[in-house]
């Protein structure tokens, strides 16, 4: 936002203004605050009835909107401010600046004094050269006929009642100084307290609807009574100013005083009832705040993912839909505490699954780890220092300024990480001494292949190593093993149900969608979702109007959407990142449609794009498709996409075994890419379509053998078609071609069609005929793959694992920074995150502590300049 918060303003009033007035012997109202100074209880009550959250920050924002001289620009990523304005202003006109009729609607609103809402503005808003250039600056000119302002080449009359509200959906909008001086920039992002209040009301409304209705009714009655008292007080003041000296002779005034007193008593009675109902609402459950706090935590973790990719922006309405589903799915229990625990558990799982479904594979571990950390922070188990150590490691220390490392086998970076843990976390207070005391044991642990599976040498007798402690220790000494330890930590906090390798499931996304919520499918090179959507439509007997977006396709897409909206067909816009301007117009037009056929669904496939419209992202249900990480995850996805008919396509055991072998080969080729240049010299993307084509080749070969009654498989043609043509057709590097040939020679052999064959240790060839049994067997495969499975050395795994860890921690840092800088704001209590200013101040303090004594910057600069 562009303005100081309520806490800052009230602090200035209390310690500057009030102190100054008291020093001048001026009487000051006690507990003076800006909201109480510039508004009254009836007005604030009306704000809340129109949907404004009841926290101090939201009230402060409302004052800035209504009392400011400049027009307000709301940075409103969750739509809180826009919803409040729409309900408050009757007859408001809502337009986007790029609509054809915008200028005429602007003129109409100014002429007749109607409020105008300019919605869906971008974070790079410009007013210069637009119809609102002079309107934004309120450059009114007074004429004998009234106020006028220049719009384009004409002067348009302005009614004094005219108002403008501008809403931007980007919380971190990149606004120019010109906009900040012309408009009143207001950060309307939801606060922790405001969100918890909304979720509390939602759970009470679902569990005790009669109580919620009574509470709402008493709130409306109290506010109406206070409005009547305010009107009567105004009438009394008007009569007092016009009444002659003897007030007792004015019977009308006396009657007004009597009515005011009577009305005030009624309001006090209603207030007492309201307080009782409110207390009952909050005491309906033993601890309803538990659900609200978990919901708040989930929302802010989900919102933080926008720091990784714009495609991960989420909305409050999306969270509320997930919350409603969780309340319905949570097992009922007559004991309120158990019922609440069931809701919290179901809500967490539902949010995890819905969010993970819309994340690319490389981002899923980041989300799971951040969620686990935030939950433990909320429980008071860990502190912000744990997360800080995970992100920074020993990067802020210098080897010359810390305690000398005891052994040469300890790398400098590992020693700095250990010293950082020793300085910042109590559980590692004896770590440097332990390494020095038990050097041989620590060296054995450090050089082992899987140190996360071993017990560390004794660090301190007062505490035992926790899963997160192991993650932090590996972060310092063996970063290549952090990913595996992080997976163990997530499971220890969340449980085994929170699986990061859930196969693609577009049916669950469809179940969450409505005719007004598009389904955005995020794709990457080598992955597609169009076939999955068309296949689902075929199973459900739905007609799909498919349009491949690009030049000249906007009109075709518009006609398809209009047809789908009217008759209830599905519409599939493929590669929509090729037509971003069309999506920008689509987000506004869909929001304004009054009626849509309930069976209509809009599917949008797109690569991640930095300019994808936030309006569509925030109203959508997301699905992401990317090659999964790991052999087990890849096989799970492959067999989740297959049906029993595919398994039975050829009536021979060889088909089922080679079906598994080919799927295994596909998984190996995809996973080998994670080793970077060590895996393949060139980068290429093999997707699910390549596997489908390879399986069709295999099926044709085996069906031909079956027709000719030939038992021996023609291995050489099969290797050539699959290895050299289907997978190797786009490979140009000769060494990569050798790798592909080696793999096909290894997997497509007669030995792999024999019962009991093992492709690698713990990876048997599955010849089971029932697909459900195959899926169950895949679940028993190892979660972690040895590099030897891919024909690589331990060193290759160390290099790749270190790179993956650094990439994950970089994305984790981006997510944490997104929350601190532009996401949630807190008004007391907290999620354990630091604001941007807090984090910057802490960083500066840490740097100052590391400066040597007597460091004077001016003298140092002068000495450097003198020495040249």
């Amino acid at each position: 936002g562009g303005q100081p918060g309520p806490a800052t303003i009230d602090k200035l009033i209390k310690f500057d203004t009030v102190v100054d007035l008291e020093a001048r012997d001026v009487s000051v109202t006690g507990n003076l605050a800006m909201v109480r100074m510039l508004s009254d209880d009836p007005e604030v009550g009306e704000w809340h009835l129109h949907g404004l959250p009841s926290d101090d920050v939201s009230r402060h924002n409302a004052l800035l909107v209504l009392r400011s001289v400049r027009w307000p620009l709301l940075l409103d990523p969750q739509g809180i401010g826009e919803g409040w304005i729409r309900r408050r202003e009757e007859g408001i006109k809502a337009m986007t600046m790029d609509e054809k009729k915008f200028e005429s609607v602007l003129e109409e609103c100014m002429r007749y004094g109607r409020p105008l809402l300019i919605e869906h503005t971008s974070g790079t808003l410009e007013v210069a050269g637009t119809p609102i250039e002079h309107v934004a600056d309120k450059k009114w000119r007074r004429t004998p006929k009234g106020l006028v302002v220049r719009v384009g080449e004409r002067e348009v009359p302005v009614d004094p009642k005219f108002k403008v509200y501008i809403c931007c959906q980007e919380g971190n909008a990149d606004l120019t100084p010109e906009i900040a001086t012309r408009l009143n920039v207001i950060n309307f992002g939801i606060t922790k307290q405001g969100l918890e209040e909304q979720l509390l009301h939602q759970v009470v409304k679902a569990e005790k609807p009669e109580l919620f209705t009574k509470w709402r009714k008493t709130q409306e009655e109290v506010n109406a009574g206070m409005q009547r008292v305010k009107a009567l007080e105004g009438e009394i003041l008007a009569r007092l100013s016009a009444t002659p000296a003897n007030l007792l002779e004015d019977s009308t005034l006396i009657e007004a005083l009597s009515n005011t007193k009577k009305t005030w008593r009624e309001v006090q009675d209603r207030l007492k009832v309201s307080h009782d109902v409110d207390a009952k609402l909050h005491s309906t459950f033993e601890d309803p705040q538990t659900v609200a706090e978990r919901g708040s935590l989930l929302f802010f973790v989900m919102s933080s993912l926008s720091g990784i990719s714009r495609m991960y922006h989420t909305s409050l309405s999306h969270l509320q839909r997930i919350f409603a589903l969780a309340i319905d799915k949570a097992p009922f229990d007559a004991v309120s505490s158990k019922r609440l625990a069931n809701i919290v558990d179901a809500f967490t799982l539902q949010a995890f699954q819905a969010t993970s479904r819309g994340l690319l594979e490389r981002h899923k571990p980041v989300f799971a780890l951040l969620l686990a950390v935030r939950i433990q922070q909320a429980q008071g188990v860990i502190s912000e220092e744990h997360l800080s150590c995970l992100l920074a490691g020993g990067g802020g220390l210098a080897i010359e300024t810390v305690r000398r490392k005891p052994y040469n086998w300890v790398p400098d970076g590992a020693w700095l990480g250990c010293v950082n843990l020793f300085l910042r976390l109590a559980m590692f207070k004896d770590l440097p001494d332990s390494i020095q005391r038990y050097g041989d044991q620590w060296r054995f642990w450090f050089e082992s292949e899987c140190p996360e599976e071993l017990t560390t040498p004794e660090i301190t007798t007062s505490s035992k190593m926790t899963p997160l402690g192991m993650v932090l220790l590996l972060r310092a000494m063996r970063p290549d093993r952090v990913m595996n330890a992080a997976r163990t930590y997530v499971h220890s906090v969340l449980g085994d149900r929170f699986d990061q390798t859930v196969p693609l499931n577009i049916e669950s996304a469809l179940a969450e969608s409505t005719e007004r919520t598009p389904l955005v499918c995020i794709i990457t090179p080598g992955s597609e979702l169009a076939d999955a959507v068309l296949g689902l439509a075929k199973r459900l007997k739905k007609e799909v109007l498919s349009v491949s977006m690009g030049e000249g396709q906007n009109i075709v897409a518009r006609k398809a959407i209009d047809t789908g909206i009217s008759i209830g067909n599905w519409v599939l816009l493929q590669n929509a990142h090729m037509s971003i301007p069309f999506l920008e117009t689509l987000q506004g037009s869909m929001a304004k449609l009054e009626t849509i056929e309930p069976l209509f669904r809009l599917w949008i496939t797109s690569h991640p794009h930095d300019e994808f419209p936030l309006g569509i992202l925030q109203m959508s249900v997301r699905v992401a498709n990317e090659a999964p990480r790991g052999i087990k995850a890849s096989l799970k996805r492959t067999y989740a996409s297959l049906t029993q008919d595919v398994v039975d396509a050829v009536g021979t055991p060889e088909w089922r075994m080679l079906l598994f072998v080919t799927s295994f080969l596909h998984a190996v080729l995809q996973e080998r890419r994670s080793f970077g240049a060590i895996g393949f010299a060139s980068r290429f993307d093999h997707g699910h379509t390549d596997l489908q084509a390879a399986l069709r080749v295999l099926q044709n070969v085996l069906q031909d053998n079956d027709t000719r009654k030939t038992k021996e498989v023609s291995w050489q043609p099969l290797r050539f078609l699959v290895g050299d043509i289907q997978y190797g057709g786009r490979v140009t590097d000769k060494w990569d071609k050798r790798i592909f040939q080696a793999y096909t020679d290894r997997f497509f052999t007669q030995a792999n069609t024999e019962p009991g064959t093992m492709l690698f240790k713990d990876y048997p060839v599955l010849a089971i005929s029932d697909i459900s049994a195959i899926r169950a067997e895949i679940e028993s495969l190892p979660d972690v793959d040895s590099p030897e499975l891919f024909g690589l050395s331990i060193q290759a795994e160390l290099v790749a694992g270190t790179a993956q860890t650094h990439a994950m921690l970089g994305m984790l840092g981006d997510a944490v920074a997104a929350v601190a800088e532009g996401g949630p704001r807190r008004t007391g209590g907290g999620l354990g995150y630091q604001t941007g200013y807090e984090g910057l101040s802490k960083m500066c303090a840490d740097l100052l502590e590391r400066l040597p004594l007597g460091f004077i910057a001016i003298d140092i600069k002068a000495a450097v300049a003198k020495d040249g």
Side-chain angles (χ1 to χ4, degrees):
Q3 80 288 338
T8 303
I9 292 178
D10 289 342
K11 185 178 179 180
L12 290 173
I13 292 174
K14 181 178 180 181
F15 294 104
D16 290 353
T17 306
V18 172
V19 171
D20 182 61
L21 291 174
E22 289 177 343
R24 300 170 188 269
D25 294 327
V26 178
S27 299
V28 182
T29 303
N31 297 323
L32 197 61
M34 190 181 76
V35 173
R36 288 192 290 273
M37 289 169 58
L38 300 180
S39 62
D40 51 38
D41 290 342
E43 184 179 23
V44 173
E46 188 178 20
W47 295 346
H48 298 327
L49 287 177
H50 288 143
L52 185 78
S54 60
D55 58 278
D56 292 338
V57 175
S58 298
R59 297 191 190 106
H60 169 266
N61 286 340
L63 280 178
L64 292 174
V65 170
L66 301 177
R67 303 288 192 267
S68 175
V69 175
R70 292 177 291 172
W71 299 126
L73 169 59
L74 280 62
L75 304 183
D76 192 23
Q78 288 85 41
I80 299 295
E82 181 178 340
W84 170 64
I85 289 170
R86 285 179 180 272
R87 286 184 286 269
R88 185 179 183 278
E89 298 284 1
E90 294 184 4
I92 191 169
K93 293 281 188 178
M95 297 285 288
T96 59
M97 289 182 63
D98 55 359
E99 291 189 53
K100 294 180 180 179
K101 297 181 179 180
F102 175 74
E103 190 168 333
S104 61
V105 171
L106 173 63
E107 294 180 10
E108 177 187 338
C109 290
M110 288 192 297
R111 191 182 301 273
Y112 298 107
R114 295 172 182 167
L116 174 65
L117 173 65
I118 303 176
E119 57 184 353
H120 301 312
T121 59
S122 69
T124 55
L125 173 68
E126 292 289 347
V127 298
T130 68
I132 66 167
E133 180 176 5
H134 298 295
V135 178
D137 295 330
K138 292 190 176 181
K139 290 184 177 180
W140 314 144
R141 189 171 66 85
R142 192 172 297 278
T143 67
K145 293 184 179 181
L147 299 175
V148 296
V149 67
R150 180 173 293 279
V151 177
E153 299 299 324
R154 300 187 308 280
E155 285 192 338
V156 180
V158 181
D159 189 291
K161 296 180 181 178
F162 170 67
K163 303 175 185 176
V164 173
Y165 304 96
I166 306 175
C167 288
C168 175
Q169 294 173 311
E170 298 187 29
N172 282 333
D174 186 19
L175 301 175
T176 63
E178 175 195 12
I179 293 297
T181 55
R182 284 184 162 185
L183 302 172
N184 185 21
V185 182
I186 306 171
N187 184 357
F188 239 100
I190 194 166
T191 64
K192 179 177 183 290
Q193 179 184 341
L195 177 56
E196 289 179 1
E197 176 198 16
Q198 294 199 28
L199 295 177
L200 175 62
H201 290 169
Q202 186 173 349
V203 71
V204 174
K205 185 177 180 179
E207 297 294 297
K208 301 287 184 180
E210 67 289 343
L211 178 61
F212 182 81
T213 301
K214 185 178 180 180
W215 173 82
R216 181 76 179 180
K217 184 178 178 181
T218 57
Q219 294 291 315
E220 293 173 352
E221 290 175 348
V222 168
N223 194 65
M226 295 177 74
Q227 294 283 1
R228 288 200 305 274
V229 170
K230 183 179 178 181
L232 288 170
E233 289 175 347
E235 181 183 345
I236 290 171
L237 290 174
R239 288 192 174 279
L240 283 173
S241 62
T243 298
N246 191 352
L247 301 179
L248 297 177
E249 295 179 358
D250 191 340
S251 59
T252 307
L253 176 60
I254 294 173
E255 183 179 355
L257 287 168
S258 177
N259 289 338
T260 302
K261 185 177 181 181
K262 179 182 178 182
T263 303
W264 180 247
R265 286 175 177 171
E266 292 175 356
V267 170
Q268 291 298 311
D269 291 340
R270 298 309 303 170
L271 270 174
K272 186 177 182 305
V273 173
S274 175
H275 291 154
D276 293 341
V277 174
D278 192 63
K280 188 175 181 181
L281 183 144
H282 284 78
S283 63
T284 299
F285 304 105
E286 291 181 11
D287 189 11
Q289 203 66 22
T290 304
V291 180
E293 288 177 355
R294 176 57 61 87
S296 174
L297 182 150
L298 288 169
F299 178 73
F300 290 140
V301 171
M302 292 160 61
S303 297
S304 69
L305 297 175
S306 63
I308 300 175
S309 171
R310 180 185 178 91
M311 304 299 289
Y312 297 153
H313 271 275
T314 191
S315 66
L316 181 58
S317 59
H318 177 59
L319 179 81
Q320 290 171 330
R321 288 197 301 269
I322 294 175
F323 193 24
L325 286 171
I327 292 174
D328 291 339
K329 290 183 176 181
F332 176 79
D333 199 297
V335 180
S336 63
S337 59
K338 293 182 179 179
R339 170 63 176 164
L340 277 179
N342 292 340
I343 293 176
V344 169
D345 187 50
F347 188 18
T348 307
L349 181 61
Q350 190 77 20
F352 179 85
Q353 292 175 341
T355 305
S356 297
R357 184 188 58 220
L359 299 179
L360 297 176
E361 292 297 322
R362 59 184 177 274
H363 300 146
K364 290 179 181 179
V366 180
F367 169 60
L369 178 58
L370 183 58
L371 178 59
V373 168
R374 292 307 190 200
I375 287 177
Q376 286 210 305
Q377 280 184 278
Q379 294 170 344
V381 177
I382 63 176
S383 67
E384 185 70 18
E385 285 294 329
H386 290 80
L387 181 58
S388 179
C389 288
L390 178 61
L391 292 174
L397 301 175
I399 195 67
E400 298 83 6
T401 60
V402 300
R403 173 178 173 175
R404 185 177 179 181
K405 64 181 183 181
Y407 305 106
N408 289 330
W409 61 261
V410 182
D412 289 352
W415 182 248
L416 291 176
C418 292
V419 172
N420 184 61
L421 293 176
F422 155 73
L423 293 173
R424 304 178 71 171
L425 296 176
M427 66 179 299
F428 293 107
K429 64 181 181 180
D430 297 324
L431 179 58
D433 292 335
S434 176
I435 294 176
Q436 185 167 6
R437 187 181 308 118
Y438 306 111
D440 292 340
Q441 297 178 35
W442 275 105
R443 184 171 186 174
F444 175 80
W445 179 88
F446 175 76
E447 295 178 351
S448 63
E449 182 178 347
C450 301
E452 71 277 8
E453 298 177 1
L454 303 178
T455 301
T456 62
E458 183 179 299
I459 298 176
T460 174
T461 57
S462 60
S463 61
K464 72 183 277 191
M465 182 63 67
T466 63
L468 181 58
M470 179 61 76
V471 173
L472 295 173
L473 186 59
L474 290 169
R475 166 72 172 97
M477 301 189 73
R478 285 287 301 274
D480 60 299
R481 307 303 298 177
V482 167
M483 299 291 287
N484 297 330
R487 190 182 301 111
T488 302
Y489 167 64
V490 169
H491 283 182
S492 71
V493 176
L494 302 178
D496 294 336
R497 292 181 304 158
F498 291 79
D499 189 359
Q500 302 171 36
T501 61
V502 177
L504 178 68
N505 185 357
I506 62 174
E507 289 89 343
S508 64
L510 178 63
E512 292 180 22
S513 69
T514 69
E515 67 275 13
R516 294 186 178 275
T517 53
L519 293 107
V520 174
C521 306
I522 304 173
I523 57 176
T524 56
S527 68
E528 257 303 338
L529 270 171
D531 290 342
V533 173
L534 295 173
L536 177 61
K538 184 178 180 180
R539 293 197 299 273
L540 299 179
K541 299 181 179 179
K542 300 289 184 182
E543 184 175 348
V544 181
L545 305 175
S546 179
V547 181
S548 183
M549 302 302 293
E551 187 175 353
Q553 292 296 94
N554 292 359
I555 297 176
V556 178
R558 182 73 264 179
K559 289 181 179 178
I561 292 173
D562 291 341
T563 301
I565 287 172
S566 61
I567 65 177
N569 286 343
W570 288 7
V571 176
L572 173 60
L573 305 182
Q574 299 187 52
N575 299 317
H577 56 279
M578 305 291 291
S579 302
I580 294 298
F582 173 77
L583 296 180
E584 291 173 348
T585 60
L586 180 63
Q587 69 175 344
S589 60
M590 283 198 66
K592 293 178 180 178
L593 290 173
E594 295 183 1
T595 58
I596 301 178
E597 170 60 41
L599 296 178
F600 169 73
R601 293 295 184 274
L602 176 61
W603 298 80
I604 301 173
T605 70
S606 173
H607 288 261
H609 198 286
D610 291 338
E611 297 180 5
F612 200 97
L614 288 183
I616 290 182
L617 290 174
Q618 291 177 348
M619 72 171 75
S620 69
V621 174
R622 282 193 299 274
V623 182
N625 188 30
E626 187 181 32
R629 298 294 177 90
I631 300 298
K632 178 179 178 179
S634 181
L635 291 173
K636 283 174 64 175
R637 173 170 291 192
T638 297
Y639 275 87
S641 67
L642 300 179
T643 64
Q644 186 64 48
D645 292 338
V646 175
V647 176
D648 298 335
V650 182
T652 62
E654 289 80 7
W655 159 248
R656 293 189 294 272
M657 300 178 79
L658 290 176
L659 173 62
F660 182 83
V661 169
T662 307
S663 301
F664 191 90
L665 169 64
H666 178 76
V668 167
L669 293 175
Q670 285 190 318
E671 188 62 16
R672 187 173 171 119
R673 294 180 307 180
S674 65
F675 291 88
I678 299 176
F680 290 113
S682 303
R683 173 76 184 186
F684 33 78
D685 298 291
H686 290 118
H688 191 66
T689 53
D690 295 289
L691 174 61
Q692 290 176 318
L695 291 178
R696 282 196 296 270
V697 169
L698 176 63
Q699 182 179 341
N700 291 336
V701 169
L702 293 184
Q703 284 179 336
D704 182 62
N705 282 4
D706 192 41
T707 302
R708 293 188 292 109
K709 306 299 181 182
T710 302
K711 292 185 177 181
E712 183 70 25
V713 179
S714 302
W715 295 111
Q716 196 57 40
L718 182 61
R719 293 169 189 151
F720 177 77
L721 290 172
V722 175
D724 292 353
I725 303 300
Q726 187 55 52
Y727 282 100
R730 70 189 77 172
V731 179
T732 56
D733 185 87
K734 65 177 183 179
W735 298 109
D736 287 343
K737 283 183 176 292
R738 277 188 64 179
I739 293 173
F740 276 79
Q741 291 171 359
Y743 276 134
T744 52
D745 290 345
R746 165 71 178 79
F747 287 114
F748 291 127
T749 64
Q750 187 66 34
N752 286 337
T753 63
E754 302 295 333
T757 300
M758 302 289 287
L759 292 173
F760 193 74
K761 181 183 177 182
D762 298 327
Y763 291 92
V765 176
L766 301 181
I768 307 171
S769 59
D770 181 63
I771 194 167
S772 298
I774 298 175
R775 291 168 180 164
E777 285 294 323
I778 291 174
E779 289 292 341
S780 64
L781 296 178
D783 292 321
V784 180
D785 305 315
S786 167
E788 296 175 358
L789 190 155
F790 310 101
L792 299 172
S793 66
I794 298 297
Q795 186 65 27
E797 184 182 35
L798 190 150
V799 173
T802 302
Q804 290 174 9
T805 295
H806 289 158
M808 184 196 71
L809 294 177
M811 291 184 287
L812 183 64
D814 291 339
V816 172
V819 174
E821 294 170 6
R825 293 162 296 144
R826 53 182 173 180
T827 57
L831 296 169
Y833 64 81
Q834 296 175 328
T835 66
Y837 295 110
E838 290 172 345
L840 185 60
S841 299
K842 191 174 186 305
M843 185 185 300
C844 291
D846 289 342
L847 291 173
L848 287 173
E849 285 181 3
R850 295 178 191 139
L851 290 177
L853 294 175
F855 182 89
I856 303 175
I858 296 177
D859 295 343
I860 297 294
K861 288 182 179 178
V864 170
K866 181 179 178 181
D867 295 340

